[in-house]
Amino acid sequence: MYQKNICLNTKTWVAYSTGNQGYRKLIKNPKPTADDVRRALYKRSIKRRSENTRDYYNQWSESVERDGLDFFFVVTVKAKTKDEADAKAKEIVSDNGWKEASTATYATEI
């Protein structure tokens, strides 16, 4: 099973998709709630990479820092294959007319 998260900034309608498993280490609840996931993604997002790196995660971090956690809505997509999860996430973003911040992310195994 694979998972991809779409972190939507509802102030700007920009979707920051990630399959990053770094946030999973921050969740202590074996059956996490949506708020547990949001908090963990937020904690993960505020960890910036080096100043020389202008990558997707730094853009996400800047967005969270600028607009705050209250403007983030997280949608989690799960599927049997990585390609299927990526396709479903892409479809959700495009069907809703959201702007995608990066296409260089991918679903991760859960």
Side-chain angles (χ1 to χ4, degrees), residues 85-105:
D86 287 336
K88 283 182 177 182
K90 188 173 187 68
E91 185 178 345
I92 288 170
V93 170
S94 66
D95 283 356
N96 287 289
W98 302 334
K99 183 176 159 188
E100 192 167 23
S102 173
T103 57
T105 62

Side-chain angles (χ1 to χ4, degrees), residues 26 50 55 76 78 87:
L26 301 172
S50 75
D55 67 5
T76 299
K78 294 181 181 180

